[in-house]
Amino acid sequence: MTTRPIIILPDPKLKLVSDPVTRVDDDARALMDDMLETMYHAPGIGLAAIQVGIPTRIVVVDVTRDEDNKEPLCLVNPEIIWLSEETAIYEEGCLSIPEYYEEVERPAQCKVSYLDRKGEACEIHCDGLLSTCIQHEIDHLNGVLFIDHLSRLKRDRVIRRFTKAQKQESNA
Ligand code: ZN
């Protein structure tokens, strides 16, 4: 297991729509392990493969934030099959948009189908932070960031800030 570098806004790869996984094999599992390692190391509660530069439909999450009782969840080809009408607001952040947090309103609950590490078809019913986190990660697979749920003014402002920071870094 190794940690991999996380790509940062405004990396254009973050806008890619990721491809479905055709076979959950050892390569896919090795990627999941690296993604978990990268996520825990960051630290974060969710990571999509595109955030380590790989446009494939794999997501890892663990919302426990408990070093001693980890509950990692690996979702391959996750698909939202139901969203509640009731909504919830969480302050979201993203490892690809470091140190920026903003409240986002999303459906409070969701039901997601996916393949697990063994390639078996599963379903999970999520609420609370897990529901928000999984919706945020599935957005990544479709090239959508949490800032895309904000007002255009807020979104443009954060994109500008990160674009400027990137320019300064490449000039340094
Ligand atoms: Zn994110």
Side-chain angles (χ1 to χ4, degrees):
M1 274 196 275
T2 45
T3 60
R4 301 195 186 197
I6 295 174
I7 61 172
I8 303 292
L9 190 75
D11 192 315
K13 284 200 203 107
L14 291 168
K15 295 262 114 199
L16 292 176
V17 176
S18 295
D19 295 321
V21 176
T22 46
R23 226 162 55 104
V24 187
D25 55 14
D26 286 345
D27 287 344
R29 276 184 286 272
L31 174 59
M32 290 176 218
D33 289 340
D34 283 358
M35 286 170 63
L36 281 169
E37 184 89 354
T38 304
M39 178 187 79
Y40 287 126
H41 180 258
I45 58 170
L47 191 74
I50 191 59
Q51 292 181 275
V52 292
I54 300 174
T56 187
R57 299 185 86 80
I58 296 178
V59 155
V60 297
V61 298
D62 186 344
V63 296
T64 56
R65 288 188 273 208
D66 181 349
E67 194 72 27
D68 302 319
N69 292 295
K70 288 183 178 160
E71 279 178 37
L73 200 55
C74 299
L75 300 96
V76 178
N77 299 341
E79 247 179 89
I80 292 173
I81 51 177
W82 174 79
L83 292 167
S84 67
E85 275 177 38
E86 182 202 348
T87 59
I89 296 174
Y90 274 94
E91 187 172 72
E92 296 189 24
C94 180
L95 294 176
S96 295
I97 314 172
E99 285 160 49
Y100 180 78
Y101 304 92
E102 196 59 69
E103 286 186 338
V104 179
E105 183 173 17
R106 297 181 186 267
Q109 298 172 37
C110 65
K111 211 189 270 183
V112 174
S113 69
Y114 64 98
L115 302 176
D116 68 8
R117 287 176 65 95
K118 290 179 240 145
E120 273 162 33
C122 303
E123 261 182 41
I124 185 169
H125 185 279
C126 319
D127 65 6
L129 182 58
L130 181 62
S131 176
T132 282
C133 182
I134 284 186
Q135 290 175 59
H136 173 125
E137 299 311 329
I138 292 176
D139 269 356
H140 274 299
L141 303 183
N142 298 318
V144 175
L145 300 171
F146 86 93
I147 55 170
D148 294 322
H149 294 278
L150 306 178
S151 69
R152 163 163 273 201
L153 185 76
K154 281 185 181 168
R155 181 172 64 239
D156 288 352
R157 198 184 291 151
V158 66
I159 292 172
R160 241 191 339 262
R161 198 216 293 176
F162 276 81
T163 305
K164 209 166 135 193
Q166 189 204 38
K167 278 202 194 114
Q168 277 165 354
E169 194 145 304
S170 57
N171 289 338

